[in-house]
Structures are given as structure tokens and as C-alpha cells.
Amino acid sequence: GLPDLALVDLDLYGKDGLEVVTALKTRAPELPVLAMSASTGEAVARRTRQAGCQGFVAKPFELVALASTIQQALSGTSRE
């Protein structure tokens, strides 16, 4: 079966993380996906939303903030 959620780093070695997100969403459109990156800003947030991500986690992150973002993604709400 599918995992409950995917957490994808946008800065993968040798691959664009958004390509991974696109492949995941093609195979499992209902799968909640959170993007994470040290790169932040509106352009990054827009690109992740367009790729189908339910949320974004900026690195470095606090564990409480990560847990909150995961909970929101699993409940179907997004944090913008």
C-alpha cells in the first residue's frame, strides 16, 4: 500500500525534488506530499503548490513545526 504521507527534499543529489513530487503525484494523486528545502520564498512556495504539494517545510525546522505541518497535511488542510 501507499504511505500516509511523503516528505520530499527539493535539493536531492542529482535530481530535482519537484520531479520526484510530480512522479509521486502521477502514481498516487491522493498522496499528501510535503516539500522541504533550505531555499524559501514565494517562488519556491508557488512551484511546490503547482507540483501538488500540500505544504512546505523550511530547513532548518523545529520538530514541533514539522509535526504541525504533517498533521495539517494529513487532515486535508494546508498552511500558507
Side-chain angles (χ1 to χ4, degrees), residues 40-78:
T40 60
E42 183 52 38
V44 173
R46 184 177 57 251
R47 287 179 59 221
T48 60
R49 282 192 305 270
Q50 289 171 343
C53 293
Q54 278 68 36
F56 180 83
V57 179
K59 297 189 301 186
F61 54 84
E62 296 284 331
L63 187 56
V64 172
L66 175 61
S68 175
T69 303
I70 289 171
Q71 182 179 20
Q72 290 169 355
L74 291 175
S75 69
T77 61
S78 63

